[in-house]
Amino acid sequence: MSGAVRIDCARGGEIVETVEVVPSSSSPYSLTVYRGESDGIIYPGDNLFACLLGFRRDIEREGLVACCQGARRNVTNSGMQAQMTGGRFVYTFDRETRTVNEETVDILASACPDEVVTVAEQRAAIFDFFGIRDRGGEGGET
């Protein structure tokens, strides 16, 4: 499960940068992200999906989205899955049939720019899928 992974970052549907991401293989979880020649930035979290959210929030300030499976609109983490895989794998869901699929995807695996969304858009899709009103957080009501 460990080892460096390359993730493309896109703006306006075009890939503009590729970063190297090194996930920790056990708790405490972190992603170390290398951009260009800079020293790595460490994103800690309770699991790797939470670490990825930190990285995504940072690059979104620059108008970028991460082109990885963990940034798709139709993925969701579950407590049990996060515990079993350290958050490296998440479930997909089908918005039309309102079902969570048994299929899991590696959050760091590549995705096309047209498949990924911002953290706020992903959060809104998850809340909508589960029929829950978002009372806070990214793009939510306060």
Side-chain angles (χ1 to χ4, degrees), residues 11-25:
R11 180 183 294 118
E14 298 293 324
I15 296 169
V16 297
E17 180 180 359
T18 301
V19 299
E20 183 175 44
V21 176
V22 180
S24 62
S25 59

Side-chain angles (χ1 to χ4, degrees), residues 3-135:
V5 175
R6 293 193 165 284
I7 294 178
D8 291 329
C9 299
R11 180 183 294 118
E14 298 293 324
I15 296 169
V16 297
E17 180 180 359
T18 301
V19 299
E20 183 175 44
V21 176
V22 180
S24 62
S25 59
S26 61
S27 183
Y29 293 102
S30 66
L31 287 180
T32 305
V33 178
Y34 297 91
R35 296 180 75 181
E37 298 297 317
S38 68
D39 292 336
I41 298 172
I42 298 172
Y43 294 92
D46 292 337
N47 59 63
L48 292 173
F49 188 73
C51 299
L52 180 63
L53 289 174
F55 165 63
R56 291 174 58 205
R57 287 182 184 109
D58 266 4
I59 65 171
E60 285 174 13
R61 291 185 193 107
E62 301 172 39
L64 297 171
V65 290
C67 297
C68 61
Q69 295 293 312
R72 288 174 37 196
R73 179 181 309 273
N74 67 330
V75 299
T76 186
N77 200 5
S78 79
M80 186 167 58
Q81 186 73 356
Q83 191 174 29
M84 291 179 356
T85 70
R88 179 73 184 254
F89 294 87
V90 294
Y91 290 106
T92 62
F93 60 86
D94 187 317
R95 294 169 60 190
E96 291 184 25
T97 62
R98 303 196 71 75
T99 56
V100 174
N101 301 316
E102 290 185 27
E103 171 199 10
T104 61
V105 294
D106 180 344
I107 63 170
L108 301 179
S110 182
C112 295
D114 62 350
E115 294 178 311
V116 298
V117 295
T118 66
V119 172
E121 291 170 317
Q122 184 181 55
R123 179 184 172 98
I126 292 167
F127 273 77
D128 180 59
F129 173 76
F130 287 110
I132 301 170
R133 185 172 170 194
D134 188 357
R135 298 184 185 274

